[in-house]
Amino acid sequence: MKPNKLPLYELKIEDENQDEIFAISLVDTPAIELDFQFFGKEPIQFAAVSDEKRLIMGPILVPDKRILRIDGEGKPYEVFFTKETVRRLAEMYLEKKYTDKATIQHEKAIKGVKLVESWIVDNKFADKSMAYGFKVPLGAWMGVFRVDETKEGNKIWNDYVKTGKVKGFSIEGLFSHSLVKASLEELIWEKDINDLSEEEAEIFLGKIRALIKKDLRYKGGKKVEMESYSDYPQSVKDAARIAREQNEKVGGKCMTLVGKTRAADLEQGRPLSRETIARMVSYLSRAKDVYEQNKSDRLSCSYIAYKGWGGETALTWAQNKLEQINKMEAVNPSVTSTYPGEAAEDKKKKQK
């Protein structure tokens, strides 16, 4: 099989008690690259819910669509769902009564947004989604959400939907990963450098550049530094170790590639970039409520995944560390980095 430029993984349901979609988020950039349609106070023509108001309709999940993801080390990879998996995920979402589980921009849970209709496209020539300009493949999961006329619902409708701040749906869940294709990049690292082709050599050099940055405060850029931090407490390392051990007990099904990478880094006390710390704050903050509800069950995926990112102590440390870094950058803004490994730039020189 010809290798991908990026690793390709199929997302699967191996255990329906653990692998699932547990929320649907309203986002500005849907991973499936298809926006929803929204219907306001004006009369609408929609056969199934013709009397309803404040509806948003669009694709929730599209089968075989390759979706770009970034792991805990900033490395890209792609994932996809098969038609069979998409259908079962849609069924499970209703069976588990998750229809009111919604978030905004994957950041916080919101109330007043409910899934009121859900279907799988079985006939791409006659599906009702076509009336609203959607061209989705067979097996796509379509949904209609109603935004209630409550205080929070009004804010979501007026400040996000009508203004276009959110344009589509994005899922939140846990899934098992199955490698379909290895990446060209992974094969390159196994070769002798003298055996690399011109294209492979360029990829190799690009990865080296991404690992280091030249400090422009030193002439000739001779000093090489990594902007990273490893002063997190032992309890964070212990949480990551517990996550690894518990995940092994359940057959390794409770942690994504990103989660496994993060847990390994934390357990070994490896340094973390500013961007990784920011991702820790984002994930741990969003997943905290689900973790709190299930933390008594040490074999639950929500417990294991949360501990894999360092747990409660890691959230406190990451929030404080991010605040500290931001203050330092405010005092000395001449050297900045916008992603791990990017060469720092001297802003004062650029302004001259």
Side-chain angles (χ1 to χ4, degrees):
M1 182 180 289
K2 185 178 180 181
N4 264 9
K5 287 189 176 181
L6 296 178
L8 178 64
Y9 292 84
E10 178 187 345
L11 298 185
K12 294 183 174 182
I13 305 170
E14 291 189 354
D15 182 348
E16 293 191 359
N17 293 318
Q18 305 291 350
D19 299 334
E20 63 175 4
I21 294 174
F22 49 74
I24 297 174
S25 191
L26 307 184
V27 296
D28 55 358
T29 308
I32 57 174
E33 300 176 352
L34 290 169
D35 299 349
F36 52 55
Q37 301 281 352
F38 74 90
F39 311 97
K41 293 291 186 180
E42 66 277 5
I44 60 173
Q45 298 297 320
F46 188 34
V49 285
S50 60
D51 293 329
E52 290 286 346
K53 303 290 193 291
R54 291 165 48 125
L55 304 171
I56 48 180
M57 166 187 167
I60 298 171
L61 204 53
V62 174
D64 301 317
K65 169 73 176 178
R66 294 189 180 187
I67 302 172
L68 180 66
R69 285 290 175 263
I70 307 296
D71 70 14
E73 290 302 307
K75 298 177 182 178
Y77 64 99
E78 292 181 317
V79 299
F80 73 96
F81 297 88
T82 64
K83 292 179 182 177
E84 295 75 18
T85 301
V86 170
R87 181 179 292 274
R88 185 58 192 142
L89 285 171
E91 294 170 348
M92 289 168 57
Y93 202 73
L94 300 182
E95 290 171 2
K96 296 185 177 185
K97 297 179 173 59
Y98 287 167
T99 54
D100 61 348
K101 303 295 184 182
T103 66
I104 191 80
Q105 299 284 26
H106 291 302
E107 293 177 355
K108 64 176 183 177
I110 53 176
K111 297 180 180 179
V113 178
K114 299 182 179 67
L115 179 66
V116 294
E117 188 172 1
S118 169
W119 74 94
I120 299 295
V121 176
D122 289 320
N123 186 335
K124 65 180 181 180
F125 299 108
D127 192 82
K128 57 189 169 187
S129 62
M130 294 182 64
Y132 299 96
F134 291 107
K135 295 181 181 180
V136 294
L138 291 175
W141 177 15
M142 298 292 298
V144 177
F145 286 76
R146 184 181 69 240
V147 183
D148 292 342
E149 295 193 44
T150 59
K151 182 178 181 180
E152 187 168 1
N154 290 337
K155 181 174 179 60
I156 295 298
W157 183 259
N158 294 321
D159 295 352
Y160 288 90
V161 177
K162 291 185 69 175
T163 61
K165 285 185 180 178
V166 291
K167 295 182 171 65
F169 304 122
S170 180
I171 63 170
E172 297 183 12
L174 290 172
F175 311 98
S176 298
H177 287 60
S178 177
L179 179 64
V180 176
K181 291 183 180 180
S183 70
L184 176 62
E185 177 187 301
E186 289 171 339
L187 298 179
I188 288 172
W189 285 102
E190 296 176 1
K191 284 189 175 184
D192 185 281
I193 191 168
N194 295 314
D195 296 330
L196 298 178
S197 67
E198 185 175 341
E199 179 187 7
E200 291 170 340
E202 182 61 32
I203 295 173
F204 183 86
L205 290 173
K207 292 302 295 180
I208 296 296
R209 294 189 196 103
L211 290 174
I212 63 174
K213 73 179 184 67
K214 290 182 178 180
D215 191 333
L216 299 185
R217 291 171 292 180
Y218 293 83
K219 275 192 175 181
K222 292 181 180 178
K223 183 172 181 178
V224 176
E225 292 184 347
M226 297 291 290
E227 289 184 326
S228 57
Y229 310 87
S230 57
D231 56 338
Y232 41 88
Q234 181 63 41
S235 57
V236 173
K237 301 174 186 178
D238 292 340
R241 173 183 53 78
I242 291 170
R244 175 181 55 79
E245 293 172 348
Q246 296 300 95
N247 194 44
E248 289 173 358
K249 289 181 180 179
V250 297
K253 65 185 179 182
C254 286
M255 298 176 73
T256 65
L257 287 175
V258 176
K260 289 177 181 178
T261 300
R262 182 59 46 242
D265 287 345
L266 294 176
E267 184 177 0
Q268 296 299 319
R270 294 169 186 154
L272 308 173
S273 69
R274 180 197 184 284
E275 289 72 18
T276 296
I277 295 170
R279 285 195 290 271
M280 288 175 66
V281 172
S282 176
Y283 171 78
L284 291 168
S285 298
R286 289 189 287 109
K288 185 176 181 180
D289 289 343
V290 178
Y291 163 75
E292 290 289 346
Q293 294 170 11
N294 297 279
K295 65 180 181 181
S296 60
D297 181 3
R298 292 169 63 89
L299 293 179
S300 70
C301 280
S302 54
Y303 174 88
I304 293 172
Y306 202 78
K307 288 293 185 182
W309 282 76
E312 308 98 309
T313 307
L315 176 58
T316 302
W317 174 83
Q319 288 173 328
N320 292 336
K321 177 58 66 175
L322 200 57
E323 183 178 356
Q324 176 188 345
I325 295 170
N326 290 338
K327 287 181 179 178
M328 290 173 61
E329 290 180 349
V331 173
N332 181 20
S334 60
V335 178
T336 62
S337 180
T338 58
Y339 61 85
E342 182 187 13
E345 295 182 356
D346 190 327
K347 290 186 176 179
K348 292 181 179 178
K349 288 184 179 179
K350 290 179 71 175
Q351 293 173 354
K352 288 183 178 179

